[in-house]
Each structure stands twice: as structure tokens, then as C-alpha cells.
Amino acid sequence: GESVGLHLPTLSVQEGDNSIINCAYSNSASDYFIWYKQESGKGPQFIIDIRSNMDKRQGQRVTVLLNKTVKHLSLQIAATQPGDSAVYFCAEPAGGTSYGKLTFGQGTILTVHP
Amino acid sequence: DAGVIQSPRHEVTEMGQEVTLRCKPISGHNSLFWYRQTMMRGLELLIYFNNNVPIDDSGMPEDRFSAKMPNASFSTLKIQPSEPRDSAVYFCASSTLAGTDTQYFGPGTRLTVL
């Protein structure tokens, strides 16, 4: 049969709007989560991380929220800019707490329109 | 500080040829990871090393793929013989064993096998 590529979730926003990118993780024992940004033609770039003993962590224009009850992670970007256009990945340690090996989500495509 | 360095950035080769991809991790990082990214399968971990020792190579597709890390500042990923289905972007990433799993990615090598 014919192979198909990954169908990534997409989010389109206007410049200046706030963006929210969601991620459902699989392992309730995971103690650490990371968000990466990948621009076209580049490698994934670390944005922000959060440990499981926290519900919220803020960076510059970005906030990560963690809801352990429903195993949900979100990345909020304030005042989204065209330079924020990229694919965003969440990641968690494979096996929950193992150092080194990460499991990446499939990614969300964010497009920011001027 | 220099990030993860990969070479070459682009490689075009013919089926059956040997391909060697190179990576220099961030100085002081103990762990090194090789990933492959395609539209079909997303970001896949191939193999990772801790302190130059291969820890998990379960993601290596088949015997045509091999990876070495002769010292803390250099690693290679070799494909012999290469096949068109190996065409992908190959990323190297490194991290410390200091308590988090944050991995820092290189710019990638775009491999095209004709």
C-alpha cells in the first residue's frame, strides 16, 4: 500500500496573538518534560523544561503548564511573532526517569501570519 | 560556546556507497545521541552513548548502520551500503548526566541517496 507521512497538528495565528500548543504524554511516571522548537532546516532547539513537581514554569514570552492528572502539557507563547513559526515538540524521558533517552511527540506546526 | 557540530551539512551519494556522518558534541557533555528525521516517521533515536560507551542501539535500523565514539569529542555514524530509503536528516545531540535530560541538537546532515 501507499505510505503516508505524519499528519502533524497545525496552529495558525496572527502576529501579536497568544499561542497555545498542546501535548499529551504517555507515562505517568515521567518526572521531567521539555519543549523544543524546530525551525525549517535546523535542528530542534531547547525552549523550556519543567519538572513533575511543578505545575507551571515561565520563561521569556513562554509558559509551560503541566497537568499530571490528565497527563497534559501545554506551551503558551505570548505576543506571537513571525519568528516563532516552527514545529514544536514536547519530550519526556523514555521509561519515565531514565537519563538520556527521550521520547518525542510528533510535533505541532505553528504558523504566524504578519 | 560552540554548539554541537555536524559534518557534512549535506551529502548526496549513490546507492551502494558508504556514507560517514560526523559529530562533535558540546565540550563537557557526557551523552551523545544520533537521530534520524523523516516526514514518514518523524524524529527517531538511533543510538546513544554515555561516556563514549553505546548504551542503547535498539533504534539502529539494521546491520548496515554502525556508530562509534572513539573519544569524548567525536562520533561517527556510518551507513554501508547506503540505500535510497536511508535518505533523511540525521541529527546528533549531546547532553550532560547532571540531572536533566535536556539534549542540545546539532544542525543536522541532510543525506540523499540516489
Side-chain angles (χ1 to χ4, degrees), chain A residues 7-83:
Chain A
H7 292 285
L8 301 185
T10 60
L11 176 65
S12 292
V13 300
Q14 291 295 127
E15 181 177 3
D17 288 351
N18 296 331
S19 302
I20 300 176
I21 300 170
N22 296 304
C23 176
Y25 62 91
S26 57
N27 190 342
S28 58
S30 290
D31 63 354
Y32 181 65
F33 303 89
I34 313 166
W35 280 100
Y36 285 90
K37 170 188 180 183
Q38 186 176 21
E39 298 175 86
S40 179
K42 297 183 179 180
Q45 177 186 11
F46 170 82
I47 303 174
I48 192 169
D49 57 9
I50 188 169
R51 290 217 169 266
S52 60
N53 61 354
M54 302 171 68
D55 297 324
K56 178 180 179 179
R57 188 173 188 204
Q58 288 185 291
Q60 188 175 16
R61 284 202 306 119
V62 295
T63 300
V64 57
L65 298 178
L66 175 61
N67 185 332
K68 295 181 287 293
T69 302
V70 295
K71 294 191 289 186
H72 182 268
L73 197 63
S74 69
L75 178 71
Q76 300 179 0
I77 306 173
T80 315
Q81 303 168 0

Side-chain angles (χ1 to χ4, degrees), chain B residues 42-69:
Chain B
L43 193 63
E44 303 174 276
L45 177 66
L46 301 177
I47 185 172
Y48 81 94
F49 297 82
N50 281 351
N51 295 319
N52 312 338
V53 176
I55 301 301
D56 185 342
D57 65 354
S58 60
M60 296 286 263
E62 49 196 274
D63 292 346
R64 296 185 298 107
F65 286 69
S66 63
K68 294 182 179 179
M69 192 165 185

Side-chain angles (χ1 to χ4, degrees), chain A residues 41-43, chain B residues 4-7 9 89-92 105-110:
Chain A
K42 297 183 179 180
Chain B
V4 175
I5 299 172
Q6 291 187 247
S7 64
R9 293 295 311 277
V89 181
Y90 290 82
F91 290 105
C92 177
F105 284 75
T109 295
R110 180 172 293 277

Side-chain angles (χ1 to χ4, degrees), chain B residues 11-74:
Chain B
E11 177 79 29
V12 180
T13 190
E14 293 188 344
M15 182 174 62
Q17 297 298 304
E18 177 180 296
V19 175
T20 300
L21 311 182
R22 296 172 175 80
C23 175
K24 176 179 170 57
I26 294 172
S27 177
H29 281 193
N30 314 94
S31 297
L32 183 140
F33 309 82
W34 283 102
Y35 289 87
R36 178 172 67 176
Q37 188 175 43
T38 63
M39 289 298 294
M40 295 295 180
R41 302 172 66 90
L43 193 63
E44 303 174 276
L45 177 66
L46 301 177
I47 185 172
Y48 81 94
F49 297 82
N50 281 351
N51 295 319
N52 312 338
V53 176
I55 301 301
D56 185 342
D57 65 354
S58 60
M60 296 286 263
E62 49 196 274
D63 292 346
R64 296 185 298 107
F65 286 69
S66 63
K68 294 182 179 179
M69 192 165 185
N71 58 62
S73 59
F74 184 67

